[in-house]
Amino acid sequence: MESGGKRAKRLKILCLHGFRTSGSFLRKQLTKWDPSIFAHFDMEFPDAIFPAGGKSEIEGYFPPPYFEWFQFNEDFTEYTNLEQSIDYLNNYITCNGPFHGLLGFSQGAVLSALLLGYQAQEKVLKEHPPMKMFVSISGTKFKDESICEVAYKHKIKVKSVHLIGEKDWLKLPSEELASAFHEPLIIRHPQGHTVPRLDEVATEELRCWVDAIVSSHDHVGDGEVKENITQKVADNIENELENSNIT
């Protein structure tokens, strides 16, 4: 969209799919929502780096291939290939960003929250600007203590919205994840473990949340530009003064 002869800069969201599905499937899932919600964003939907290691729940409903971000034991306390996915996403975000925020469903939300917590502690994404927003759909925390001590050490100061289903088997863990964020918005829905269809109230609530973030970003962005200009002027003056003292 162009305004005043200039193309408006669109913000980017990285969207991480659920266990044994795909980026294409998450894109399809989000078509349940009013497109105006993310009208200001470019959405990217990468596939996880590991092929599904077993049967996918969407077989027969959505075509393969299917992928998974990492593997885990029955108690969700031990993880395999997690570090490889973290490294992959760290490189992906650094090379293809900057990204304004993350969106994830289920395993994708679990991993997204981990990245945000790790970034806050300067464990990953050290060269990338801080993320500003997070949309969690049926996300949870990791249970490994060595991860928790870093990722959730302090409240994660990223604007977050958490969609939690009343019939979701991860309802309580999703609420625990929300508690790891500073002033989270929780949108409840009557469905289960899925990207839910949103009623008018939930749609408006989510749209207003997004609009507030976009408006805040525009304001901050203008301030950063002014600050950079002021700093450059100050630097130029300082250089001129130093040069004038050279004999």
Side-chain angles (χ1 to χ4, degrees), residues 188-203:
R188 301 187 184 277
H189 61 86
Q191 299 158 62
H193 192 71
T194 184
V195 175
R197 295 187 182 279
L198 302 178
D199 60 22
E200 292 183 4
V201 174
T203 295

Side-chain angles (χ1 to χ4, degrees), residues 113-124:
L114 177 67
L115 290 172
L116 295 173
Y118 274 3
Q119 185 185 35
Q121 299 303 317
E122 299 185 341
K123 184 177 175 65
V124 300

Side-chain angles (χ1 to χ4, degrees), residues 18-33:
F19 186 60
R20 294 180 181 171
T21 63
S22 66
S24 297
F25 182 65
L26 178 57
R27 185 190 297 272
K28 176 179 175 61
Q29 288 177 295
L30 289 175
T31 61
K32 299 176 185 178
W33 294 1

Side-chain angles (χ1 to χ4, degrees), residues 72-90:
F72 47 91
N73 64 352
E74 185 175 351
D75 297 328
F76 200 65
T77 55
E78 298 177 3
Y79 319 102
T80 305
N81 292 320
L82 175 59
E83 290 300 324
Q84 288 90 325
S85 278
I86 292 173
D87 290 342
Y88 167 74
L89 288 170
N90 182 73

Side-chain angles (χ1 to χ4, degrees), residues 73-143:
N73 64 352
E74 185 175 351
D75 297 328
F76 200 65
T77 55
E78 298 177 3
Y79 319 102
T80 305
N81 292 320
L82 175 59
E83 290 300 324
Q84 288 90 325
S85 278
I86 292 173
D87 290 342
Y88 167 74
L89 288 170
N90 182 73
N91 291 332
Y92 185 97
I93 292 170
T94 301
C95 293
N96 296 282
F99 286 91
H100 190 69
L102 302 176
L103 177 151
F105 169 65
S106 194
Q107 189 181 59
V110 177
L111 188 52
S112 295
L114 177 67
L115 290 172
L116 295 173
Y118 274 3
Q119 185 185 35
Q121 299 303 317
E122 299 185 341
K123 184 177 175 65
V124 300
L125 300 172
K126 298 177 183 179
E127 306 302 322
H128 188 279
M131 295 286 183
K132 301 298 184 182
M133 62 180 289
F134 173 43
V135 180
S136 174
I137 312 164
S138 296
T140 71
K141 289 182 177 181
F142 282 90
K143 293 183 179 180

